[in-house]
Amino acid sequence: QVQLVESGGGLVQAGGSLRLSCTASGSIFSINAMGWYRQAPGKQRELVATITSGGSTNYADSMKGRFTISRDNAKNTVYLQMNSLQPEDTAVYYCNAPVVRTAPWRINDYWGQGTQVTVSS
């Protein structure tokens, strides 16, 4: 009943930039933290960044200084601005959101389908 949809992935040359978006829709009471994760073929899924509704952020060390996470609470949307992209950033990027639901009250963890980011050298 809740859907997360990512967009903004694509092909980019090394040193270029991309802006990813993820919008949650459906039966949503609130969302505290939203985040981005990524997974390359043959590798483990890893944290990229998270952001709370209050604006507190958390970044993986390798992304600090290059990536910026932000969100629009009114739109239930989280963004990831990626600059200075390198080939090692190539991966499927996934949006994650623990969603507070009502009737009954509960928190469900949702993931988007992912958006491919490919960086060429």
Side-chain angles (χ1 to χ4, degrees), residues 13-32:
Q13 190 174 355
S17 300
L18 286 173
R19 184 173 185 259
L20 307 183
S21 299
C22 172
T23 298
S25 61
S27 182
I28 301 169
F29 179 78
S30 65
I31 305 174
N32 185 22

Side-chain angles (χ1 to χ4, degrees), residues 14-93:
S17 300
L18 286 173
R19 184 173 185 259
L20 307 183
S21 299
C22 172
T23 298
S25 61
S27 182
I28 301 169
F29 179 78
S30 65
I31 305 174
N32 185 22
M34 299 182 76
W36 289 97
Y37 295 75
R38 71 184 186 185
Q39 186 168 18
K43 297 183 179 180
Q44 297 290 96
R45 182 178 63 186
E46 64 176 336
L47 169 72
V48 175
T50 61
I51 183 169
T52 69
S53 60
S56 297
T57 60
N58 180 42
Y59 295 92
D61 288 341
S62 62
M63 287 74 170
K64 290 180 180 178
R66 299 191 300 123
F67 293 2
T68 302
I69 189 170
S70 61
R71 67 186 284 175
D72 185 332
N73 292 332
K75 296 180 179 179
N76 286 324
T77 298
V78 62
Y79 306 93
L80 184 69
Q81 178 66 47
M82 305 186 294
N83 299 323
S84 301
L85 285 164
Q86 300 299 313
E88 54 264 36
D89 295 315
T90 296
V92 177
Y93 286 70

